[in-house]
């Protein structure tokens, strides 16, 4: 692993000083002490640190803790000025008049002339001093919605479009070269501390020739795209053919019968296993409805030997023509496969994990799937779409040949820090990713990078005029995302202890414009209210924005580690097409070639990009600047109660679960009304209360990380599989396992995990309330 720091035009190796620095802790404590003393003064409900503290980063000064507009207080001056204005002060320190009232005329004239000369002299000095030393441009401004508006109005569609086009001009270089260009771009915007963080990781890359599917009945050979195997096709579409594969699949050749299992649900498996033996056979599987890794684990347990993976034409979005395109998927759950659970730093033990599945998995195009199914033309109706299905009569024997190569490569992350002035050791992470996988992954990497760069550009314009956020904002461009979020996993595993303590939220920009029909906001329960408010604030005149509900569902991208291993609240805004069917969730697991998903066709004016950038910016600014973190405890309790709806094999424990969930809701309501309301009222706000409250809010979701979850399912049980389901994912999986194996052992274990999570959260809330009550009693 190598770190490269770019400051001005130089680079030096080393860790970021902002991640784990005792000086930052000391700075935060000193600021907290000053704020506490100022708040204890009467009339200082709206306070401001009047340039008392200078930080080593630039000439910035501490901003207001209050986000509301500054109101005139009863005495806006400092202690010494208030003392001078006090009548007792004047009478005590002013010399008394002499008893004799006789005074020489010349003495009076002398005093008058002296005072006049000094007065004129002072004016002259002040004039030239001000002329030569103008007021510092870095005078601190208060954090309030007006400041947010000034920053966000600098984000313009034409700027994002220009950045986007510049990014696509990058030649198809390796991950490190692209990351370096992004680093230089961010540095040129004025971001003081930008670093390149490299990791050597195990990647599964295509072999020298394309994978093939051969029909043994007819002897026809096909590439994954559906084109017949020949030299001309291979030369014309070499990159597309090579990168139509499943990374970390098993390798080799398998000849077996093709079995249609539709979406690979438990019901599909039960139906198929009742009529045939599936051992070592090849499954014809549709992408969607549930996570791919979960479905593959079911097929592996059932005994299948291989899988042909495709997208049903009824599930394809209407705005793009992807029927004749194969795609790439990754079978990696996250991080470097050779260092599972720990960072791939120099000297780490490397495990021999060339394959992450015993199945031979091959993605194919819809065109090839139709050829395998042999769908008669007369069954296709114009008024509705008929899902593909293999005919019940006749067996199809195919030969599947998969060749890929595992090798160690360097992937790079670009990490930039905008240091906060009040809580520099608290981080709000804004993450996008860059693409180092030739032409695969579409152009959405350039969309996400352009948006985060445009936001950074607008932010730095305000920073140059003296403004800074209260909390540190960390800008991240991740590498290795298409192979299983490798870059973000390795960085987070490397800094796990620091991030557990310091990160307050993750704002994702993964695949921001995948369609142009509907705004799709996703947020963890504690951030749903903030996401909804930001949406209404930024979409007043935009017809597409109102009416979009904020949900807590599983999403793709580099927020994975932060949600599932750190329990960090996360949010993401994106545009997508109106769903064509209820099975189209998890289709984003497929990565198509870049030329099949042209961003400029979806959003020619880049107005959708501008909306996403402003929504992302609004949420980021509020989290980074509001004195009390804008997290909602009660929404978590409500999400928990919704997650317990449904039927289970054994409902004996459900009443106990509901009782614990009810207690959690009562405690959350008490916490919200008794603690958050006073802290959000500037007249009642106390620094010690705010600090303690933010510590509680920052860790709200950590209680809901279960120890084990099935492959592809979130460990954070607050996130549902999709909008159609409200139940906890782990309980749904346990219910399916119960149906498949006729055993309630799994459901009992899952119920116990959920029960302990809910109880842990309730105890956590209650402990926070007890601390607040003790503190208030002590002060009284």
């Amino acid at each position: 692993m190598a770190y490269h720091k770019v400051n001005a035009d130089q680079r030096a190796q080393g860790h970021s000083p902002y991640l784990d620095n005792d000086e930052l802790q000391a700075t935060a404590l000193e600021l907290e002490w000053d704020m506490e003393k100022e708040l204890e003064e009467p009339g200082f409900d709206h306070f401001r640190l009047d340039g008392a503290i200078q930080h080593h980063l630039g000439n910035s000064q501490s901003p207001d803790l209050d986000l509301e507009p500054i109101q005139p207080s009863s005495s806006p001056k400092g202690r010494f000025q208030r003392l001078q204005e006090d009548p007792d002060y004047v009478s005590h320190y002013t010399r008394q008049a002499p008893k004799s009232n006789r005074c020489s005329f010349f003495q009076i004239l002398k005093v008058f002339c002296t005072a006049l000369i000094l007065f004129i002299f002072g004016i002259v000095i002040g004039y030239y001093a001000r002329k030569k030393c103008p007021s510092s441009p870095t005078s601190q401004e208060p954090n309030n919605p007006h400041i947010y508006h000034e920053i966000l109005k600098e984000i313009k569609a034409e700027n994002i479009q220009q950045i986007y086009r510049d990014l696509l001009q990058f030649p198809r270089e390796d991950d490190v070269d692209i990351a370096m260009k992004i680093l230089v771009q961010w540095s040129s915007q004025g971001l003081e501390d930008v670093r390149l963080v490299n990791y050597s990781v195990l990647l599964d890359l295509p072999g020298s020739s394309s994978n093939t599917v051969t029909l043994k009945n007819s002897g026809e050979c096909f590439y994954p795209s559906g084109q017949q195997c020949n030299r001309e096709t291979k030369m014309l579409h070499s990159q597309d053919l090579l990168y139509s594969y499943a990374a970390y699949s098993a390798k080799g050749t398998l000849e077996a019968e093709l079995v249609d299992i539709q979406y690979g649900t438990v019901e599909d498996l039960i139906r198929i296993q009742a009529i045939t033996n599936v051992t070592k056979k090849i499954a014809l599987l549709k992408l969607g409805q549930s996570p791919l890794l979960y479905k593959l684990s079911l097929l592996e347990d059932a005994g299948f030997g291989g899988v042909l993976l495709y997208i049903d034409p009824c599930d394809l979005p209407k705005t793009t023509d992807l029927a004749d395109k194969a795609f790439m998927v990754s079978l990696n759950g996250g991080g470097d496969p050779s260092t599972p659970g720990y960072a791939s730093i120099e000297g780490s033990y490397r495990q021999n994990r060339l394959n992450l599945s015993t199945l031979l998995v091959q993605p194919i195009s819809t065109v090839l799937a139709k050829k395998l199914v042999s769908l008669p033309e007369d069954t296709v109706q114009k008024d509705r779409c008929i899902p593909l299905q293999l005919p019940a009569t006749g067996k199809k024997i195919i030969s599947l040949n998969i060749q890929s190569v595992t090798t160690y490569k360097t992937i790079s992350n670009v990490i930039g820090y905008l240091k906060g002035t009040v809580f520099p050791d608290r981080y709000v992470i804004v993450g996008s990713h860059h693409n180092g996988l030739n032409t695969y992954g579409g152009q959405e990497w350039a969309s996400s990078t352009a948006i985060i760069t445009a936001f950074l550009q607008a932010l730095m314009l305000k920073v140059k005029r003296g403004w800074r956020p209260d909390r540190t904002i960390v800008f991240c461009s991740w590498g290795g995302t298409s192979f299983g979020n490798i870059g973000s996993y390795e960085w987070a595993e490397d800094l796990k202890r620091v991030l557990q303590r310091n990160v307050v939220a993750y704002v994702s920009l993964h695949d921001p414009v995948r369609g142009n029909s509907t705004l799709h906001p996703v947020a963890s329960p504690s951030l749903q209210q903030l996401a909804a408010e930001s949406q209404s604030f930024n979409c007043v005149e935009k017809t597409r924005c109102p009416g979009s509900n904020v949900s807590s569902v599983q999403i793709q991208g580099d927020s994975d580690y932060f949600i599932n291993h750190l329990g960090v609240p996360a949010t993401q805004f994106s545009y997508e097409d109106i769903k064509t069917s209820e099975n189209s969730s998890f289709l984003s697991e497929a990565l198509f070639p870049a030329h099949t998903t042209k961003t400029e066709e979806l959003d020619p004016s880049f107005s959708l990009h501008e909306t996403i950038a402003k929504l992302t910016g609004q949420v980021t600014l509020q989290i980074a600047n509001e004195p009390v973190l804008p997290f909602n405890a009660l929404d978590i309790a409500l999400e928990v109660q919704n997650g317990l709806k449904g039927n289970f094999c054994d409902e004996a424990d459900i009443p106990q679960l509901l009782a614990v969930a009810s207690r959690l809701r009562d405690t959350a309501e008490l916490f919200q009304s008794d603690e958050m309301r006073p802290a959000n009222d500037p007249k009642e706000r106390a620094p010690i209360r705010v600090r303690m409250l933010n510590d509680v809010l920052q860790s709200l979701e950590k209680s809901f990380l279960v120890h084990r979850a099935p492959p592809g399912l979130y460990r954070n049980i607050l996130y549902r599989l999709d909008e159609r389901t409200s139940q906890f994912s782990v309980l749904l999986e346990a219910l399916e396992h119960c149906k498949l194996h006729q055993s309630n052992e799994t459901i009992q274990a899952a119920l116990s995990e959920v029960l302990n999570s809910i109880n842990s959260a309730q105890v956590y809330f209650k402990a926070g309330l007890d601390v607040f009550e003790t503190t208030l009693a002590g002060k009284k």
Side-chain angles (χ1 to χ4, degrees):
M1 177 189 68
Y3 287 75
H4 300 278
K5 176 179 179 180
V6 172
N7 194 349
D9 294 326
Q10 299 177 346
R11 283 185 297 151
Q13 295 185 356
H15 284 279
S16 169
Y18 304 143
L19 287 175
D20 196 7
N21 195 324
D22 292 334
E23 292 180 1
L24 298 184
Q25 301 284 355
T27 302
L29 291 175
E30 289 171 8
L31 289 170
E32 212 169 77
W33 173 247
D34 287 343
M35 289 184 292
E36 183 175 351
K37 291 191 293 185
E38 285 296 317
L39 279 180
E40 290 175 351
E41 289 293 324
F44 271 65
D45 300 328
H46 294 273
F47 65 93
R48 183 152 112 186
L49 299 180
D50 293 326
I53 300 175
Q54 293 286 342
H55 293 279
H56 65 274
L57 189 60
N59 296 322
S60 62
Q61 299 172 349
S62 299
D64 293 337
L65 287 182
D66 185 14
L67 293 185
E68 299 297 327
I70 300 300
Q71 303 293 335
S73 61
S74 57
S75 179
K77 302 175 183 177
R79 292 189 185 92
F80 184 68
Q81 289 170 294
R82 294 200 304 270
L83 189 61
Q84 286 181 313
E85 293 174 352
D86 191 286
D88 295 335
Y89 171 87
V90 176
S91 62
H92 183 73
Y93 285 94
T94 304
R95 179 180 295 180
Q96 296 179 358
K99 294 181 180 179
S100 173
N101 292 327
R102 291 176 298 175
C103 181
S104 170
F105 170 77
F106 293 103
Q107 287 179 326
I108 296 175
L109 183 61
K110 182 179 179 181
V111 171
F112 176 77
C113 292
T114 303
L116 182 61
I117 292 171
L118 290 174
F119 178 72
I120 296 173
F121 187 62
I123 291 177
V124 172
I125 292 176
Y127 172 77
Y128 283 102
R130 181 167 183 172
K131 185 174 181 180
K132 293 181 180 180
C133 303
S135 58
S136 172
T138 59
S139 58
Q140 189 64 50
E141 299 181 52
N143 288 316
N144 57 47
H146 177 67
I147 300 301
Y148 305 161
H149 177 72
E150 287 186 359
I151 294 172
L152 298 178
K153 74 178 181 181
E154 297 295 335
I155 300 176
K156 297 181 175 62
E158 54 268 25
N159 292 346
I160 301 175
Q161 185 178 37
Q162 186 58 52
I163 297 170
Y164 172 84
R165 290 176 175 175
D166 291 343
L167 290 169
L168 291 184
Q169 296 305 314
F170 289 174
R172 301 317 305 171
E173 299 165 332
D174 63 20
D175 193 271
V176 179
D177 292 329
I178 295 177
M180 179 58 71
K181 291 183 177 180
I182 295 173
L183 180 145
V184 172
Q185 192 177 51
W186 288 6
S187 298
S188 67
Q189 302 297 336
L191 197 59
E192 301 100 330
D193 187 6
V194 191
R195 298 171 183 271
L196 197 69
V197 186
N198 296 334
Y199 296 96
S200 178
V201 300
L202 186 66
L203 300 183
D204 189 28
L205 300 174
S208 57
S209 59
S210 174
N211 300 335
T212 57
V213 178
T214 304
L215 293 176
K216 300 304 293 183
N217 298 348
S218 61
E220 293 179 286
C221 172
F222 296 97
Y223 292 126
S225 61
Q227 298 165 305
Q228 289 195 342
C229 303
N230 58 61
R231 184 178 180 82
E232 292 180 1
T233 303
K234 184 176 180 180
M235 295 300 293
L236 186 62
H237 303 283
S238 58
Q239 286 296 315
D240 287 0
L241 295 177
L242 289 178
Y243 280 87
S244 300
Y245 79 116
Y248 306 104
S249 163
K251 287 85 174 169
T253 302
L254 175 63
E255 182 178 321
E257 179 186 351
L258 187 65
V259 179
D260 185 6
I261 60 168
Q262 292 295 298
Y263 290 96
T265 64
V266 168
E267 287 77 10
D268 291 330
L269 283 175
I270 293 175
R271 172 178 54 83
I272 292 298
Q273 287 180 312
I275 59 177
T276 185
N277 180 11
V278 300
T279 303
K280 295 300 180 183
K281 293 185 178 179
I282 299 174
L284 184 62
L285 174 66
K286 295 179 182 181
L287 190 68
Q289 201 172 93
S290 60
L292 173 62
L293 294 184
Y294 173 61
K295 295 194 290 188
L296 292 180
S297 69
L298 295 179
L299 298 183
E300 197 169 3
D301 291 341
F304 279 94
V307 175
L308 290 182
L309 182 66
Y310 74 102
I311 299 178
D312 192 284
C314 298
D315 298 334
L316 284 170
K318 302 298 184 183
T319 55
T320 54
D321 184 15
L322 303 175
D324 61 340
K325 306 297 180 185
F327 50 92
M328 174 200 170
V329 294
S330 175
L331 309 187
N332 180 15
D336 176 15
S338 68
T339 58
Y342 54 95
S344 55
I345 60 176
E346 186 176 353
S348 295
Y349 170 66
R350 306 282 181 168
Q351 299 185 23
N352 184 21
R353 303 182 73 198
L354 303 182
N355 307 327
L356 299 181
S357 173
T358 61
L359 298 170
L360 277 76
V361 182
Q362 176 59 53
I364 61 174
S365 69
T366 302
V367 169
L368 181 53
K370 286 182 178 180
K371 292 179 180 179
L372 297 177
V373 169
S374 301
L375 184 69
E377 292 295 330
D378 57 359
T379 60
V380 179
Q381 300 180 11
K382 295 183 179 180
D383 57 340
R384 66 188 184 92
C385 183
I386 300 178
L388 294 185
Q389 187 172 358
L390 195 67
T393 59
K395 291 184 179 182
K396 283 189 178 293
I397 307 298
I398 66 170
S399 177
L400 178 59
N401 178 42
I402 294 179
Q403 301 297 330
S404 57
V405 179
T406 52
T407 182
Y408 283 94
K409 293 282 187 179
T410 298
I411 61 99
S412 301
N413 300 323
V414 186
I415 312 293
Y417 304 89
L418 176 57
K419 184 185 176 186
T421 54
V422 181
F423 308 109
D425 60 336
R426 292 295 180 260
Y427 311 146
V428 182
I429 297 181
V430 186
S432 66
H433 73 278
H434 51 267
N435 187 27
L437 182 64
N438 288 286
T439 59
Y440 262 65
Q443 297 174 348
E444 50 85 13
W445 76 270
S447 290
S448 63
T449 306
I451 288 175
I452 197 173
T453 304
F455 174 48
L456 173 62
Q457 190 178 61
L459 205 57
M460 295 311 296
L461 288 176
K462 197 67 176 174
V463 170
K464 291 173 184 176
R465 296 196 292 265
W467 176 89
R468 276 189 180 274
D470 288 356
R471 299 177 180 90
T472 296
I473 301 177
V474 185
F475 296 92
C476 304
S477 182
W478 308 112
T481 298
S482 54
F483 289 97
N485 308 318
I486 293 180
S488 55
Y489 258 75
E490 296 311 305
W491 184 76
E493 287 173 346
D494 194 7
L495 303 166
K496 183 175 181 180
R497 296 295 298 273
V498 176
L499 299 178
Q500 282 178 329
R501 184 186 67 224
N502 292 354
V503 177
V504 298
Y506 185 94
V507 183
S508 172
L509 278 168
H510 181 80
D511 201 359
V513 181
R514 65 191 72 157
N516 56 12
S517 300
T518 309
L519 179 66
H520 184 232
V522 176
S524 59
S526 59
L527 283 176
Q528 284 184 0
Q529 184 173 326
L530 176 62
E533 291 172 354
S534 300
Q535 182 181 328
S536 61
F537 176 80
N538 283 281
C539 300
V540 175
E541 298 179 358
K542 297 184 182 295
T543 56
R544 290 191 180 98
C545 293
S548 298
N549 295 322
V550 183
S551 58
S552 297
V553 296
Q554 292 193 191
I555 54 178
Q556 300 298 309
D558 292 284
S559 58
D560 188 300
Y561 190 91
F562 299 91
I563 292 172
N564 288 302
H565 295 270
L566 300 179
V568 172
T571 185
Q572 171 183 289
F573 295 94
S574 61
Y575 272 98
E576 61 181 26
D577 291 315
I578 296 175
K579 286 183 167 54
T580 55
S581 78
E582 64 178 12
N583 303 316
S584 55
S585 56
F586 296 99
L587 293 185
S588 58
E589 293 177 320
L591 298 178
F592 284 92
H595 51 77
T596 62
T597 53
K598 293 184 178 179
T599 300
E600 296 202 56
E601 292 180 4
L602 293 173
D603 186 20
S605 66
F606 275 71
S607 59
L608 303 184
H609 286 74
E610 180 183 327
T611 300
I612 297 296
K614 290 185 174 180
L615 287 169
T616 300
Q618 176 76 19
V619 167
T620 302
L621 288 171
Q622 286 192 252
I623 299 173
N625 289 289
E626 290 197 9
V628 178
L629 289 169
F631 300 163
N632 195 303
L634 184 56
D635 283 350
I636 293 179
L638 295 175
E639 194 78 14
V640 166
Q641 288 188 319
N642 290 333
L644 292 175
K645 296 177 181 178
N647 299 315
F648 304 100
C649 294
D650 186 355
E651 300 187 2
D653 293 331
I654 297 303
Q656 185 177 1
L657 274 170
L658 294 174
V660 176
S662 179
R663 289 200 299 272
L664 173 63
R665 178 172 178 172
D666 292 341
T667 308
E669 286 179 339
L670 202 61
F671 180 85
Q672 197 124 323
S673 62
D674 287 9
E675 302 307 330
M676 293 195 67
R677 183 197 57 77
N680 278 301
D681 185 349
K683 295 181 179 180
E684 300 183 41
R685 185 181 297 148
I688 186 65
R689 176 187 287 270
V690 171
R691 183 192 65 77
M692 292 164 52
L693 180 59
N694 283 336
D695 287 345
V696 174
L697 292 172
Q698 184 178 333
S699 300
L700 286 180
E701 298 190 13
K702 289 179 171 56
S703 298
F704 297 97
L705 299 181
V706 296
H707 294 93
R708 185 203 66 85
L713 269 64
Y714 272 14
R715 286 183 57 218
N716 189 328
I717 63 174
L718 293 176
Y719 289 78
R720 296 175 279 116
L721 278 176
D722 52 44
E723 284 87 349
R724 296 179 295 114
T725 57
S726 61
Q727 296 92 341
F728 290 124
S729 300
V730 292
L731 294 184
L732 283 177
E733 186 276 333
L735 175 60
E736 291 192 339
H737 190 277
C738 178
K739 295 177 181 177
L740 190 61
H741 299 283
Q742 300 298 313
S743 170
N744 65 351
E745 182 177 344
T746 304
I747 192 70
Q748 289 295 329
L751 286 169
S752 178
E753 285 257 39
V754 172
L755 175 65
N756 280 281
S757 295
I758 301 173
N759 185 68
S760 175
Q762 196 273 333
V763 170
Y764 181 77
F765 278 140
K766 184 67 170 60
L769 284 170
D770 291 343
V771 170
F772 284 121
E773 291 174 1
T774 303
T775 304
L776 293 178
K779 291 183 70 174
K780 291 179 182 178

